[in-house]
Amino acid sequence: MLIETHAHLDYPEFVNDLDDVLRRAKDAGVTRIITIGTSVESSRHAIDLAEKHPAVFAAIGVHPTFVEEAQDDVITPLRELAKNPRVVAIGETGLDYHRLPSEQVAKEEQVQVMSALRTETDEEIEAQIRDGAYKSKQASLFQQQLDLAVELGLNVVIHQRDAWEETLKIIGLYTGNLRGVFHCFGGSLEQANEVLGLGHLVSFTGIVTFKNGGAVRKVAAQIPLWKFMVETDCPYLAPVPFRGKRSEPAHTRIVAETIAAAREIPLEEVAEATTETADKFFQFNRI
Ligand SMILES: [Zn+2]
Ligand SMILES: [Zn+2]
């Protein structure tokens, strides 16, 4: 028995064969799936799916890379949506500095970037201002969603990419008031211990199966068995041997098997521990 703690079942990749996807998950021993909202609209869709399929539950939130399209007030609709008993967490929310506006401009002007003697173009200066605005919008929506989670007594699914320090700074303001899971964890053992020490959890994706995933596989082997969960982040990050293809919740089993092998323990032990951890972290059957 496994719980897939991070799927994007509302994405168009699953529109044609969701019933088959859910059947394969069940056959693989994945008894529950949390589908994660990335915008207000996507969160609404996640709840629809959770209402339709008994194995599916929803997390609702606005993803940091979707903040520019977001309406001014996302909290009022999210608060309303959270009333639905199929909602088990807030998220995913967080910070993602992987693709800043200035990088796009730099890419377009790569030729000039190569030359040593040059001043910044107006376009680049403008892009840096846009970077600042983008980052502060992400931070603002992150904090608003953390506040909402505290208000509602729900835990949080945290997305962090290339923004570790800034994410920790914000989440540090909430220590003791809420718990989060740093999903798709790809950091060092020190970073894992840092968030575990603050009372949070981490979760691992198919990256643990990758050839170049040795470092994160090691982290998954070394942290306490009761401090992590498993996920796919499907449709992305399909584990080996499906790498590059669409991922799906059934692959949670491969993630768990890989971690069990790295820890040199039976799959059942990883399944039992991660399921119990997810059971406690997410508020299933809340009414
Ligand atoms: Zn994410
Ligand atoms: Zn995600």
Side-chain angles (χ1 to χ4, degrees), residues 6 8 36 38 63 92 159 183 233:
H6 197 113
H8 294 285
I36 309 280
T38 50
H63 190 284
E92 61 185 305
H159 173 102
H183 105 89
D233 204 9

Side-chain angles (χ1 to χ4, degrees), residues 197-219:
L198 293 169
H200 306 300
L201 300 171
V202 296
S203 66
F204 298 104
T205 60
I207 293 175
V208 296
T209 70
F210 293 180
K211 217 178 203 170
N212 58 1
V216 66
R217 196 157 52 239
K218 230 176 179 174
V219 174

